[in-house]
Amino acid sequence: NEVKFIGFKFNSEGMSTDSDRVKAVQELSMPKNKTELQSLLGFVNYLRAFIPNYSEIISPLRDLLKRNIEFRWEKNHTDVVEKLKGLISERTKLANFDPNKPINLECDSSKDAIGFALFQDDQPVHYGSRSLTDCEQNWAQIEKEYLAITYACQKLHNYLFGHKSVTIFTDHSPLLAIHTKNFDKIKNNRLKNLKLKLLHYDFSLKYKPGKELYSADLLSRNIIPTRSSEPDSGDIIHSLCCNELVVSSEKMDLFVQETSKDPVLKHILEYYHSQWPNRHTLNQIGGDLVHFHNLRNDITVEGGLVYLNQRLVVPTSLRAMMVDLLHETHLGLEKCKAKARQLIYWPSINSQVENTISKCYVCQRFSRKNIKEQLINHDIPDTPFSKIGLDVAE
């Protein structure tokens, strides 16, 4: 009723660690240098699937492997190794996968790693995690969270592909709005690429607070070095843009500089790469941050600029210039508003456009409502009914 295979035992209840493997771990001696420590972690790492908080536990041991750090074995390191031995001795079981049962998949990302945990009937079936590359560590938090979901789906492809009852949980609520958007509505190319990789899978994405996402949160803090062979996804996906705001490189640099100095947009840049605070904190800071907080699910940052969907959010110092450019050819009020809705955005943009046009001397002088239509004379007919006039009334 039980089979041993590559260090694990399989039976009708699920998968657990082999007692011979556990005994080998319990008999491990304390390492005396970095090489022995690497061997110990490599040996224990084979059983990491049974220890959801593995990375948290071995954090003091990882510190000893850093460059320019002297190897000094102390009591706290011994305690970590003993704790690992005790946890492995408990021999946590992973349940067997049942394709007929619903799947719950928890995904999370920390600043250095991503992790996931697959459950059926609240029983763990599979754990997984990997560290982020140097490039990925510089991604925005929403991109890391989406990467965690993509990595989990690809890693669990044999479990998820074709399954009709899959629910994925994330603790990053803005991701829900991004995931439901069409590709042409997503400004960020990296998010487009990640969304493209998920088209193979049929699942519903739901929000769960981080304090309830225990397993995935712990796994995402595993930063054992691994390398991804995938190229940077920022240069892979390109899309057709229906509206384009053409600016010179000098103007682009000016927009980036003014955005970084803007009292509101500089906070949005920070919150986008970390986490939005609550409304109480934003009320204390003041400005239009509360307004942008309501739109945070549609905000993206690319190249140091802030976008609302596909519209550029203009910093305060450049808004008057942008309104003048919109009205440069003296378009009417509605046409100017329509053009603004396609390209740029800031709070109360319609009011500022209306005020500018209402003060325009040229528009006021040549406005249609001030031009009187001249009467057109016509020849008097010689005979009755030689000229007939018709009109339609409701």
Side-chain angles (χ1 to χ4, degrees):
N1 297 329
E2 190 172 78
V3 176
K4 293 184 179 181
F5 183 67
I6 58 173
F8 300 105
K9 291 193 300 185
F10 299 86
N11 54 36
S12 59
E13 296 180 0
M15 180 179 70
S16 60
T17 54
D18 187 355
S19 58
D20 295 335
R21 186 85 179 189
V22 172
K23 182 178 179 181
V25 172
Q26 291 174 336
E27 294 177 352
L28 287 174
S29 59
M30 300 302 163
K32 299 177 181 179
N33 51 52
K34 289 188 177 182
T35 302
E36 292 183 3
L37 177 57
Q38 289 174 335
S39 299
L40 183 146
L41 291 178
F43 189 73
V44 177
N45 185 59
Y46 188 77
L47 302 174
R48 64 186 296 177
F50 298 90
I51 310 175
N53 57 345
Y54 176 74
S55 61
E56 291 289 326
I57 297 173
I58 68 169
S59 179
L61 302 182
R62 284 200 307 265
D63 294 338
L64 292 177
L65 296 177
K66 293 181 179 179
R67 292 183 179 180
N68 302 323
I69 298 296
E70 181 183 359
F71 185 87
R72 295 182 59 183
W73 191 264
E74 298 179 352
K75 184 179 182 301
N76 64 316
H77 301 122
T78 302
D79 294 340
V80 170
V81 175
E82 294 297 335
K83 184 175 182 179
L84 282 173
K85 293 180 180 180
L87 290 173
I88 293 174
S89 299
E90 295 176 359
R91 296 195 292 277
T92 303
K93 284 190 176 182
L94 295 179
N96 290 324
F97 177 75
D98 187 346
N100 298 317
K101 292 181 179 180
I103 295 176
N104 290 333
L105 179 61
E106 297 181 357
C107 302
D108 193 27
S109 171
S110 65
K111 64 183 182 68
D112 299 309
I114 54 179
F116 65 86
L118 188 148
F119 295 91
Q120 285 188 311
D121 294 336
D122 295 328
Q123 296 296 319
V125 176
H126 194 94
Y127 294 117
S129 64
R130 77 165 175 86
S131 63
L132 297 174
T133 64
D134 294 338
C135 174
E136 291 169 344
Q137 290 179 20
N138 296 324
W139 290 10
Q141 187 60 33
I142 190 172
E143 296 167 349
K144 294 179 183 178
E145 299 287 351
Y146 217 12
L147 176 64
I149 295 176
T150 304
Y151 170 72
C153 289
Q154 292 178 333
K155 199 74 173 178
L156 302 172
H157 176 81
N158 292 336
Y159 295 112
L160 304 181
F161 185 73
H163 204 289
K164 298 300 182 182
S165 182
V166 179
T167 304
I168 299 180
F169 295 95
T170 178
D171 62 350
H172 199 72
S173 57
L175 203 57
L176 274 65
I178 293 293
H179 182 69
T180 56
K181 288 183 179 180
N182 294 329
F183 279 94
D184 61 322
K185 300 296 184 182
I186 302 176
K187 180 69 177 178
N188 190 309
N189 282 338
R190 188 172 290 135
L191 292 177
K192 287 182 184 179
N193 182 44
L194 296 173
K195 180 178 173 65
L196 183 65
K197 294 179 179 179
L198 296 174
L199 293 180
H200 301 292
Y201 308 100
D202 183 13
F203 64 90
S204 59
L205 185 62
K206 295 184 179 181
Y207 170 74
K208 180 183 287 189
K211 60 183 180 180
E212 299 178 11
L213 217 61
Y214 307 107
S215 300
D217 180 68
L218 288 171
L219 288 168
S220 70
R221 305 186 186 282
N222 180 9
I223 55 174
I224 294 179
T226 58
R227 292 295 173 185
S228 173
S229 59
E230 294 187 12
D232 185 5
S233 59
D235 298 329
I236 296 178
I237 295 298
H238 303 276
S239 60
L240 180 64
C241 185
C242 300
N243 302 301
E244 185 178 7
L245 183 63
V246 181
V247 295
S248 63
S249 57
E250 292 80 6
K251 278 288 193 295
M252 179 66 72
D253 294 338
L254 176 62
F255 269 89
V256 173
Q257 180 182 357
E258 294 300 321
T259 298
S260 63
K261 297 190 299 184
D262 189 88
V264 174
L265 297 185
K266 68 178 182 181
H267 289 292
I268 295 179
L269 291 173
E270 176 186 353
Y271 299 151
Y272 180 82
H273 289 92
S274 56
Q275 187 75 23
W276 280 84
N278 54 43
R279 293 177 65 91
H280 178 70
T281 303
L282 295 177
N283 287 327
Q284 292 179 340
I285 299 176
D288 294 320
L289 282 174
V290 175
H291 173 81
F292 283 108
H293 179 269
N294 298 330
L295 305 173
R296 64 190 184 280
N297 293 342
D298 298 321
I299 290 177
T300 56
V301 173
E302 188 77 16
L305 298 176
V306 180
Y307 295 89
L308 179 66
N309 292 323
Q310 295 187 14
R311 302 167 65 182
L312 174 65
V313 181
V314 181
T316 306
S317 59
L318 301 179
R319 291 174 183 175
M321 179 190 74
M322 295 303 295
V323 173
D324 292 338
L325 289 175
L326 282 174
H327 192 55
E328 188 175 22
T329 56
H330 298 283
L331 294 174
L333 176 60
E334 295 305 321
K335 288 186 177 180
C336 283
K337 287 183 178 180
K339 195 68 175 178
R341 284 194 293 269
Q342 294 175 349
L343 300 174
I344 57 177
Y345 178 81
W346 64 82
S348 305
I349 182 174
N350 286 339
S351 299
Q352 192 163 346
V353 171
E354 291 174 359
N355 292 335
T356 300
I357 295 179
S358 65
K359 298 176 182 178
C360 177
Y361 173 75
V362 176
C363 291
Q364 293 298 321
R365 180 179 179 183
F366 296 98
S367 177
R368 287 186 178 181
K369 64 182 180 181
N370 294 330
I371 299 177
K372 295 182 179 180
E373 187 70 27
Q374 294 182 353
L375 296 177
I376 300 177
N377 296 325
H378 63 88
D379 298 333
I380 299 176
D382 297 330
T383 59
F385 299 106
S386 61
K387 182 179 290 188
I388 300 175
L390 299 176
D391 195 8
V392 178
E394 293 183 0

